[in-house]
């Protein structure tokens, strides 16, 4: 007997009618960009993540780019992140004119390793007289961009302690995970509440993950 790797057909049959109704509502309204459905979605995401704001963007990459631009990250700056991610993460950093600083990952989770962040800072950066963290080549280290992969959240407790010590912003790239609860030593939080700003996206892998989780 042939057993499919993934079969969501039965689940879809139970959800087909409301899904089609939602699609037909948009098609009937002819509001394909923004509109009341987007506003309702932003409101629902804001409430679910317990966040003060939620803004719909065209893609997770554009969301990350918009965040970096809003924070004023640009030429002369550097951002710590992981090399094990979609190229858009480092691409957005480079696009605003900043320099991506790659640190190693945890071999178990494949997420950025907090101890590697600390080691990189100690070996390659210094704090100047004004208290700003700089690389050996003079860039201002502005932020840390952890990337949550395969449904596993980064160690945000440790990353948060590092960011506070060096006064760095934390921007979460959550394209593969939306509002996952984190077991914090302080208190349980949605992943998005750990960072100053967060970007997420509906890439196909995560959509399938969410569908499978409903089974």
């Amino acid at each position: 007997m042939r057993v499919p790797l993934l079969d969501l057909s039965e689940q879809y049959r139970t959800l087909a009618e409301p899904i089609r109704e939602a699609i037909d509502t948009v098609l009937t309204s002819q509001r394909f960009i923004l509109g009341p459905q987007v506003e309702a979605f932003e409101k629902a995401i804001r409430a679910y993540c317990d966040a003060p704001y939620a803004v719909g963007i065209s893609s997770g990459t554009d969301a990350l780019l918009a965040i970096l631009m809003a924070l004023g990250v640009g030429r002369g700056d550097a951002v710590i992140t992981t090399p094990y991610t979609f190229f858009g993460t480092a691409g957005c950093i480079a696009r605003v004119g900043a320099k991506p600083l790659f640190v190693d990952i945890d071999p178990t989770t494949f997420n950025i390793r907090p101890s590697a962040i600390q080691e990189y800072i100690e070996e390659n950066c210094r704090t100047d007289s004004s208290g700003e963290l700089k690389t050996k080549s003079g860039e201002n280290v502005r932020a840390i961009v952890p990337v949550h992969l395969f449904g596993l959240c980064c160690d945000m407790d440790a990353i948060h302690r590092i960011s506070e010590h060096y006064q760095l912003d934390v921007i979460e790239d959550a394209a593969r995970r939306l509002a996952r609860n984190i077991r914090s030593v302080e208190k349980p939080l949605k992943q998005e509440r750990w960072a100053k700003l967060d970007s997420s996206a509906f890439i196909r892998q995560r959509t399938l993950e969410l569908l499978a989780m409903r089974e």
Side-chain angles (χ1 to χ4, degrees):
M1 185 176 82
R2 186 175 181 179
V3 179
L5 177 64
L6 180 67
D7 184 3
L8 301 174
S9 57
E10 185 61 35
Q11 178 180 314
Y12 174 69
R13 276 193 287 272
T14 64
L15 300 171
E17 187 174 342
I19 288 174
R20 291 305 313 177
E21 285 179 2
I23 293 172
D24 288 343
T25 297
V26 174
L27 294 175
T28 300
S29 71
Q30 296 293 291
R31 296 288 299 274
F32 303 125
I33 300 175
L34 302 179
Q37 281 75 26
V38 174
E39 185 177 346
F41 176 73
E42 291 172 338
K43 184 177 180 180
I45 290 291
R46 187 169 67 243
Y48 183 66
C49 295
D50 191 22
Y53 306 101
V55 180
I57 304 290
S58 59
S59 69
T61 299
D62 279 348
L64 189 57
L65 180 64
I67 289 171
L68 291 166
M69 294 173 69
L71 292 176
V73 176
R75 292 194 179 277
D77 294 330
V79 177
I80 296 171
T81 191
T82 169
Y84 194 69
T85 176
F86 179 64
F87 68 83
T89 306
C92 287
I93 296 170
R95 184 173 173 184
V96 297
K99 180 179 180 180
L101 305 175
F102 295 120
V103 302
D104 208 352
I105 60 172
D106 185 308
T108 303
T109 65
F110 301 104
N111 286 329
I112 193 169
R113 179 163 54 87
S115 60
I117 299 175
Q118 185 64 46
E119 290 164 8
Y120 184 92
I121 291 174
E122 291 176 356
E123 294 174 7
N124 299 281
C125 304
R126 59 179 175 80
T127 303
D128 66 10
S129 57
S130 65
E132 291 187 342
L133 188 66
K134 292 183 176 292
T135 65
K136 289 180 179 179
S137 52
E139 293 93 357
N140 295 314
V141 183
R142 293 286 308 278
I144 302 171
V145 180
V147 181
H148 306 296
L149 289 176
F150 313 123
L152 297 175
C153 290
C154 299
D155 184 350
M156 296 308 296
D157 271 325
I159 292 173
H160 183 66
R161 286 193 293 269
I162 294 170
S163 70
E164 283 203 330
H165 180 77
Y166 294 104
Q167 300 180 48
L168 305 175
D169 289 322
V170 177
I171 306 166
E172 292 187 66
D173 184 336
R176 292 191 64 122
R177 175 54 58 203
L178 175 66
R180 176 115 174 144
N181 281 326
I182 294 174
R183 292 183 179 178
S184 167
V185 294
E186 297 178 12
K187 60 181 178 177
L189 292 172
K190 298 291 189 186
Q191 74 186 36
E192 283 79 356
R193 292 305 307 279
W194 261 118
K196 183 171 185 177
L197 291 159
D198 171 89
S199 65
S200 193
F202 285 104
I203 64 171
R204 60 186 180 276
Q205 291 96 331
R206 198 188 63 217
T207 305
L208 290 172
E209 286 171 4
L210 292 173
L211 287 169
M213 287 169 63
R214 291 178 57 94
E215 286 292 327

